[in-house]
Amino acid sequence: MKKRFLICSVLSVSFFGMKAQEKISAEVNIKTEPTEKINFNETNIGFLFHKKINSNSTITNTLTYSNVKVNYESGSFEVFENLNQLNQIQNKFDFSYTVSDKTKLKLSVTPTANFQQNLNASDFTILGNFEFSRQLGPKTTINIGAARTSVFGYPKFLPVLSLGYKLNEQSNIVIGFPDSKISYSNNVRNKFSLTNSFNGNFYHLDSQNLDYDTSKVIVSQMTSAFEYERNMDKNWFINFKAGYDFNKKYILTDDNNHKVYDFNISDGYILGIGIKYKQ
């Protein structure tokens, strides 16, 4: 109990330490990702606080909780059927500094606790990234940086690169790694997007009676999707997402991220819906 209280306190200290925020938002998203023998159903709840400190600096704090329910086809993975729930608590703190009219720096620190059901001190991990943004012209921006991220399913240092181009007042395009996006808005209430992203996560396992020397679950994929966001009124937004997961992986590993068991799951489609409140 003391360990759980300590981790929750560390994760939330920056979130609750901010006052008089300029922007606040809260959202709930539900997503399903069925495959041939295993279905993943995820619920995500997030709270965001954003504040402009001065003319050059802004801070953003995002606290999220996600729960993944894993449903196995009857009789396919009986020894693993107790591995049916995965949880994450994450607190992302962003700091952005405008060096000049054309140059910005961004630093993110993300404490995260990824666990099966019982939260322990060993489930605690620090992720983050550092990015340099430069405006090359009136319509073109480049971002270069490095991140400690779990897009391939486990914490790893990777380069971050993207090139953004503003096609016109309604359309933007960003091509890069790990995320690319084309967005279009025909009016202030509708936004359409095509996205492609490398994304993944890891979860520390509880002590359990398995015939394998496992310590973590790793999930990763490349996702291509169509997204639509609708502004229902001044503060409320609803969004829909439909797409497909490529090269989807669901494996068990040891402490050194060596593969111990591979579920060999198939690729599959994704469907999601969410609601957001912005102030």
Side-chain angles (χ1 to χ4, degrees), residues 143-157:
N143 291 278
I144 301 174
R148 187 173 191 257
T149 177
S150 61
V151 296
F152 290 129
Y154 56 91
K156 183 178 182 179
F157 286 97

Side-chain angles (χ1 to χ4, degrees), residues 201-219:
N201 218 334
F202 64 97
Y203 302 89
H204 296 276
L205 296 177
D206 299 337
S207 298
Q208 51 188 315
N209 296 321
L210 294 177
D211 294 331
Y212 301 92
D213 183 21
T214 59
S215 62
K216 284 186 290 188
V217 172
I218 285 179
V219 183

